[in-house]
Amino acid sequence: MLDWFMSMTLFEQILYGIAIISTGLFVLKGIFLIFGISSASDGLDVDDVDCADATGISYFSVIGILSFLAVGSWGAILAYSFSDSHLVSIIAGLFSGFVEMFATIQFIRFLRNMQESGNLKISLAIGKIGEVYLTIPPMELGEGKVNVVINGSLQECQAVSLDKTSIPTGTKVRIVDLQGDDVLVVQRESEIME
């Protein structure tokens, strides 16, 4: 193995050194990303430059630079094996590195955009129609439960009523307000239409 490496030109040795090390680190970083040990947005601090978008992924991140070096160096090695020209191999390496860096970052952004935070913004329920699941006592004397669709997902939420009578299970109600952070204030749907 050492004889093979020593038989190369200095240019080839540099390219293979960059290729092997950066590919190993790129694969290691990918494994860390898969298992949640690391984040794709591990960026380098570059003063006065804001290259990240809303997903927090920058082209000047560890994963972006590693993908550039890994694919760029292998691209340069491949081009050098066909042309024996340093200039052609450097241009091919730069081109393939930039294409791969762009593709890698776009793929990570695509995956990040597919994620949901899992947080429910209950205030989005105000104005929606729900159905009483557990009877709601009158005049805020206790809490019942209401099923309501929020962000396309059926949610079971705590609810109180300002009505003078209990609202039984199965009754359609409209969410009119929010009490605290997570308790819906409801009225019978028939009372609102009057």
Side-chain angles (χ1 to χ4, degrees), residues 37-126:
I37 299 170
S38 178
S39 129
S41 60
D42 292 343
L44 303 176
D45 292 332
V46 181
D47 292 339
D48 300 324
V49 177
D50 185 14
C51 300
D53 67 354
T55 60
I57 305 294
S58 169
Y59 289 102
F60 298 105
S61 63
V62 174
I63 196 82
I65 292 170
L66 285 176
S67 67
F68 171 81
L69 289 173
V71 174
S73 56
W74 288 115
I77 290 168
L78 184 63
Y80 190 71
S81 69
F82 286 109
S83 71
D84 283 337
S85 167
H86 292 190
L87 182 62
V88 169
S89 64
I90 289 172
I91 291 171
L94 287 173
F95 177 76
S96 60
F98 279 120
V99 167
E100 175 58 24
M101 181 172 65
F102 178 79
T104 299
I105 298 303
Q106 292 305 316
F107 180 68
I108 291 171
R109 286 178 180 168
F110 170 75
L111 292 178
R112 283 256 174 109
N113 287 332
M114 289 177 50
Q115 291 180 344
E116 291 187 33
S117 68
N119 296 337
L120 177 65
K121 191 170 181 182
I122 199 161
S123 62
L124 295 174
I126 296 174

Side-chain angles (χ1 to χ4, degrees), residues 2 18 42-44 49 56 94 97 128 133 135 153 171 175 190 194:
L2 188 57
I18 293 170
D42 292 343
L44 303 176
V49 177
L94 287 173
K128 297 201 180 278
Y133 176 67
T135 301
S153 174
T171 305
I175 292 83
S190 60
E194 294 174 354

Side-chain angles (χ1 to χ4, degrees), residues 144-155:
K145 292 199 178 202
V146 173
N147 287 331
V148 63
V149 176
I150 306 172
N151 284 343
S153 174
L154 183 63
Q155 301 293 322

